[in-house]
Structure formats: structure tokens, C-alpha cells
Amino acid sequence: MKSNLSRRDALKTLGASAATIPAIVDSAEAHAPLKLKGNIKHSVSRWCYASIPFEELCQASKDMGIESIELTGPKEWAIMKNYGLTSALGWADPWPEKTGLGSFLNDPKNHDIIVKCYEELLPQAQEYGITNVICFSGNRRGLGDYQGLLNCQKGLKRLIPLAEKYNVTLTMELLSSRASHPDYQADNVEWGAVLCEMVGSEKFKLLYDIYHMQSMSGDHIRNVQRYGKYISHYHTGGHPGRNEIDDTQEIYYPAIVKAIVASGYKGYIGQEFVPKAKDKAGMLEALKKCVLICDV
């Protein structure tokens, strides 16, 4: 009896401190880096997590083993540097179209504005070690595909000397003209590959957005195999809906990412899905889950 009472008393004494153990364990697990395989580098698009204060997103990304927060500009790069993060895909802050100026390469009237933008942006990109910067074709507005290629080629030929000087790859995003970006011209990888050949520089490549290309044609694994040499970045997103890239969506990401790795790609895959959760904890948990899905 005495022994039992002593044990009971001891448990009571430990009770108050023991109650804190689950919270400590949960906190440690929340900040434990993911055990990533290292076959692909991971990035996250800032705009999908705009409700999370930027430095909190930086810390959460670092904790997960994510190395990049993309679609960010020089002001954010300065902050990210403090966390040991980079931007797998940069842009100007503000982007010209946000100021009412044109940023679309298939309209020659925009070329002077675009050149001025990159003259300012690319030296900053080099300073922060950013090697990919986004660009866009623009909408057709009645423009034929061939003329669109010629117009884009003309603008890009003016930009390539800058890109080569500052060791930055201009990366044109492929977007869906069927759904989210009606009338957009660079809406298929074949058109983009032709433009890459016309420009003829390793400093111009494509952003293959898997979500957008699913809307247009799918066939991602063969696209990666055929056109991988023209691709400098990849984006994710569940389809339809652009939510988590899990089994509620129609794209099977592990197989696609395995094909990307097998193609010899050494860059980043950027998570660009919109989390269903609206609270910080739920959003970050969704991000962690989707990083692991792509970590093949």
C-alpha cells in the first residue's frame, strides 16, 4: 500500500509539468524540417498565401525545407535573404501591368516599357542570386499565332543581351486560354517551343504550369519528355479548381514529378495551388502535404 501511495503521489507531482509535454512535442513537430529526398527543389508561390504575414511565411517555408518563395520582387528578396531563401521565379515590384503599362511581348508597342523594366530588374536579380524572371506573351486580340511569334521574338531579342549579361533566364508562362486566361497566346507548349527555337538562347525558356496545361491538353509526361529542354520552371495546382494537389483532383502529381526528375531537370517545382483552409495553420498544413506529394 505504501508503495502504491508513493507512486500515486509522484504522479500527482509530475502532473502539472507532464501536462505541458504534448504542447512541447506538438510545437517541436510543427517546426521540424520535412525529411525531403533531394531529387527536386521545392518552392511556393507567394500570392497563394497572401493572408500570411511575409516573414511568417518565410520562417514556415524554411522550417519545411522549402528553399524558395516565388513570384516575389526585390523588396521581398531582401527579406528572404535573412532566412536563407531564394526566389525560384522573380518579377518586378510593381509589375508593369499593375501600373497600367503594358508587359506583354506580343505587342511591339510594349517593348520599350518592357526593356526599361528589365534594365532595372535584372541587375537586382543578379545581386540577390535570382536566376529566373517571369515574362508573358499577352493576349491574341485577333493576332495570328505566327505574327505573335514574330512579335515576341522581336521583343525578346532586345532583352537577351541583358539576360546574358546578368545571368538571368527570361521564363515565359504557359497559361490556359480555355479557362482562367481567355485569349492568352502562349497557351500550349508547342507554340512556346517554337518561340524558344526562334530566340535561340538558353536565357529564354518556358514556365510549364501543370494546372494550366491540364486545362488545355494534359499529356504532361510526354510534354516533359519532348520539350523538357525548353522548360526552366514548373508550377503545380489541382485541377479543376486549383486547390490541393491530392486525390480530390484529376492530376496524379507523383508520376509527373518523377518524369520531370528523369528528364534531368535540376530546378524548382513551385506549389501554386490555393489552399482550401483560410487559417494559417490549415494553409501551412496543406502546403506541407503537397510538398511531400511532389517529393518523389
Side-chain angles (χ1 to χ4, degrees):
M1 179 66 72
K2 184 177 179 180
S3 174
N4 288 339
L5 286 173
S6 297
R7 183 182 181 199
R8 193 177 299 124
D9 290 341
L11 288 173
K12 285 182 179 179
T13 302
L14 291 170
S17 58
T20 66
I21 291 175
I24 293 171
V25 171
D26 288 346
S27 176
E29 288 178 351
H31 292 282
L34 297 179
K35 295 181 179 179
L36 302 176
K37 297 175 182 176
N39 296 322
I40 197 84
K41 294 189 285 188
H42 299 278
S43 178
V44 57
S45 293
R46 168 57 177 153
W47 72 266
C48 301
Y49 299 84
S51 63
I52 298 177
F54 188 64
E55 292 208 45
E56 292 182 22
L57 181 61
C58 288
Q59 185 62 59
S61 297
K62 185 177 178 66
D63 290 343
M64 288 185 206
I66 295 171
E67 300 175 52
S68 155
I69 301 177
E70 61 183 75
L71 299 180
T72 48
K75 293 178 183 176
E76 292 158 313
W77 301 341
I79 296 169
M80 290 157 57
K81 186 176 181 180
N82 296 329
Y83 291 85
L85 300 171
T86 189
S87 177
L89 190 64
W91 63 7
D93 184 16
W95 196 252
E97 65 187 51
K98 294 181 180 179
T99 64
L101 302 174
S103 64
F104 297 136
L105 282 158
N106 66 357
D107 187 346
K109 294 178 182 178
N110 294 332
H111 289 176
D112 287 345
I113 295 168
I114 295 171
V115 170
K116 185 176 186 300
C117 171
Y118 283 103
E119 284 176 340
E120 296 174 359
L121 179 63
L122 297 195
Q124 297 177 83
Q126 184 186 56
E127 177 185 353
Y128 286 101
I130 311 303
T131 57
N132 280 344
V133 171
I134 199 168
C135 63
F136 301 95
S137 69
N139 291 352
R140 290 182 174 86
R141 300 182 306 279
L143 192 67
D145 276 351
Y146 180 63
Q147 190 61 51
L149 287 167
L150 293 176
N151 290 353
C152 287
Q153 179 197 34
K154 182 178 179 181
L156 287 163
K157 286 287 190 179
R158 292 179 60 182
L159 293 172
I160 289 301
L162 280 172
E164 292 174 344
K165 178 180 179 180
Y166 294 109
N167 193 31
V168 177
T169 300
L170 306 174
T171 302
M172 180 174 284
E173 184 163 17
L174 304 174
L175 299 170
S176 171
S177 63
R178 179 174 293 168
S180 50
H181 294 269
D183 201 44
Y184 187 74
Q185 190 144 47
D187 63 357
N188 65 88
V189 68
E190 292 87 356
W191 188 94
V194 170
L195 181 57
C196 288
E197 288 289 338
M198 291 172 66
V199 173
S201 170
E202 286 296 304
K203 294 305 179 187
F204 173 71
K205 292 195 174 184
L206 306 174
L207 161 52
Y208 188 92
D209 188 301
I210 299 166
Y211 161 77
H212 285 292
M213 293 301 94
Q214 178 72 8
S215 171
M216 295 302 297
S217 63
D219 207 16
H220 307 296
I221 291 175
R222 282 194 290 192
N223 283 342
V224 169
Q225 292 168 342
R226 291 173 177 169
Y227 303 110
K229 67 179 180 178
Y230 303 114
I231 298 169
S232 57
H233 195 55
Y234 290 89
H235 272 172
T236 74
H239 193 279
R242 199 197 273 275
N243 295 125
E244 284 83 344
I245 58 172
D246 54 23
D247 58 8
T248 67
Q249 306 285 293
E250 67 187 17
I251 310 173
Y252 185 65
Y253 272 92
I256 297 171
V257 181
K258 284 180 182 177
I260 292 170
V261 171
S263 75
Y265 178 73
K266 301 300 182 184
Y268 291 83
I269 186 162
Q271 299 292 341
E272 202 188 22
F273 68 91
V274 179
K276 294 176 184 176
K278 300 306 176 187
D279 62 294
K280 175 185 170 183
M283 295 171 76
L284 294 178
E285 187 59 34
L287 176 58
K288 182 186 294 187
K289 177 181 71 173
C290 293
V291 166
L292 287 173
I293 288 172
C294 291
D295 195 57
V296 299

